[in-house]
Amino acid sequence: MKIICVDDEKLVLKLVVHLCEQLPQVSEVVSFSSSLEAVEYLKNNSADIALLDIEMPKMNGITLAVKIKELHPDISIIFLTGYSHYALDAFQLHASGYILKPIEKERLEAEINHALSSKGMTKYPHIFAKTFDEFEFLIDGKPLRFARSKAKELLAFLIDKRGAGVKRNVAFAALYEDALYDRKMQKSFNVIVHSLKTTLAENGVGDIFEMNSGELRINPDLFECDLYRLMQGDVQTINTYRGEYMTNYYWANMTEAFIDKVMRNE
């Protein structure tokens, strides 16, 4: 996600850029101390969000916002100012946010997250594992249907392990609790593994599942997952967590407790 910052006060501009660069959802920040320079840049470039000071010479932030919207209607505008009386003008321009100086990181982050949400940037990617609340494995936003419920649970268990290899008997113990892993149950578990492999392959995502030297694993680099995003400190994902993780599976309790501990330390 790309942000442009425009403020004629260089110290304030430096601070805003620094705060933006600390946010995990921000991939690029471009700054300008002149409104005219910003307009010239946007004639050939775009951005997701524009953070604009209002009191600036030659072209103030309100006029700049109008110019930006003419060039790129989808850019979200967040105004930064030391004067509250500009709020009405800002809202008439349908600005996404309005922050009074001095700027605090928490307020800036909240306004950026709000702007991202309104832009629909929280939509699911092509392949997404949803672990908050009940587990679902989504392809283009639609839950994958499994021929066997245990195959779905096996996938959930492997996703919970975040790419670590899992012995067959360990996975079996998680899925069947106190059942004996004898020859009969080994055959039954093989059917579950085969069912999972087939379902994934039939839906064009078979390469996420691997079997090597008696171990099962998923490749976390080939799909996205809310658990993984949370562990990486993604603020938007953290804000969507409501204390429930893979509620359909008893073995998920340990990870849920770990997430709660991580959240308390945030």
Side-chain angles (χ1 to χ4, degrees), residues 63-100:
T63 304
L64 174 58
V66 173
K67 294 285 187 181
I68 289 175
K69 285 293 188 179
E70 290 175 352
L71 292 169
H72 302 283
D74 292 335
I75 292 182
S76 296
I77 305 294
I78 298 176
F79 287 110
L80 313 173
T81 181
Y83 306 96
S84 60
H85 61 267
Y86 286 111
L88 179 59
D89 292 331
F91 291 129
Q92 287 177 339
L93 281 171
H94 303 291
S96 297
Y98 187 93
I99 304 175
L100 288 175

Side-chain angles (χ1 to χ4, degrees), residues 2-265:
K2 181 177 178 180
I3 291 180
I4 64 165
C5 304
V6 188
D7 197 312
D8 64 314
E9 296 183 54
K10 293 186 177 180
L11 289 178
V12 175
L13 182 62
K14 185 177 180 180
L15 171 62
V16 174
V17 170
H18 175 68
L19 293 177
C20 288
E21 289 177 340
Q22 294 183 54
L23 303 179
Q25 62 269 51
V26 178
S27 58
E28 183 179 0
V29 184
V30 182
S31 62
F32 303 92
S33 57
S34 162
S35 296
L36 298 179
E37 290 177 359
V39 171
E40 286 301 311
Y41 175 82
L42 289 171
K43 287 179 180 178
N44 299 303
N45 302 274
S46 187
D48 299 297
I49 295 175
L51 302 177
L52 310 179
D53 182 31
I54 293 183
E55 287 282 354
M56 292 189 290
K58 295 185 179 179
M59 183 188 297
N60 67 27
I62 300 294
T63 304
L64 174 58
V66 173
K67 294 285 187 181
I68 289 175
K69 285 293 188 179
E70 290 175 352
L71 292 169
H72 302 283
D74 292 335
I75 292 182
S76 296
I77 305 294
I78 298 176
F79 287 110
L80 313 173
T81 181
Y83 306 96
S84 60
H85 61 267
Y86 286 111
L88 179 59
D89 292 331
F91 291 129
Q92 287 177 339
L93 281 171
H94 303 291
S96 297
Y98 187 93
I99 304 175
L100 288 175
K101 298 177 181 179
I103 299 164
E104 298 178 350
K105 180 183 177 182
E106 292 75 15
R107 173 71 182 191
L108 177 64
E109 188 172 17
E111 293 295 343
I112 287 175
N113 284 335
H114 173 72
L116 292 176
S117 176
S118 65
K119 288 167 69 68
M121 295 184 71
T122 57
K123 291 181 179 179
Y124 292 126
H126 173 48
I127 308 173
F128 188 78
K130 186 185 79 69
T131 65
F132 297 171
D133 196 9
E134 293 191 355
F135 171 72
E136 291 291 353
F137 193 76
L138 308 170
I139 299 179
D140 293 329
K142 297 181 180 180
L144 185 61
R145 301 303 176 193
F146 295 82
R148 297 175 181 271
S149 61
K150 286 295 183 184
K152 179 179 180 180
E153 184 175 359
L154 175 59
L155 177 61
F157 183 73
L158 296 176
I159 288 172
D160 178 79
K161 298 307 176 186
R162 289 179 272 168
V166 179
K167 296 287 187 182
R168 285 175 175 256
N169 63 321
V170 174
F172 173 86
L175 270 61
Y176 292 92
E177 300 186 57
D178 298 326
L180 181 64
Y181 192 52
D182 55 18
R183 184 175 295 275
K184 178 182 177 181
M185 293 306 294
Q186 289 177 26
K187 291 182 178 180
S188 296
F189 186 67
N190 287 341
V191 172
I192 298 301
V193 173
H194 178 73
S195 178
L196 173 59
K197 182 179 179 180
T198 300
T199 297
L200 294 175
E202 289 177 346
N203 287 274
V205 293
D207 51 352
I208 74 165
F209 179 58
E210 300 176 2
M211 296 187 291
N212 296 305
S213 303
E215 289 188 341
L216 312 174
R217 71 178 292 270
I218 50 88
N219 186 339
D221 296 328
L222 300 181
F223 64 95
E224 296 191 48
C225 175
D226 47 10
L227 171 65
Y228 304 167
R229 288 177 175 178
L230 182 146
M231 293 301 184
Q232 292 167 357
D234 182 81
V235 176
Q236 281 184 276
T237 304
I238 290 172
N239 290 338
T240 65
Y241 184 66
R242 296 293 179 265
E244 295 185 327
Y245 171 79
M246 290 199 187
T247 54
N248 20 359
Y249 308 125
Y250 84 95
W251 46 258
N253 289 341
M254 290 184 63
T255 301
E256 184 176 293
F258 177 73
I259 295 173
D260 290 341
K261 182 178 179 180
V262 171
M263 295 287 282
R264 287 196 297 271
N265 292 331

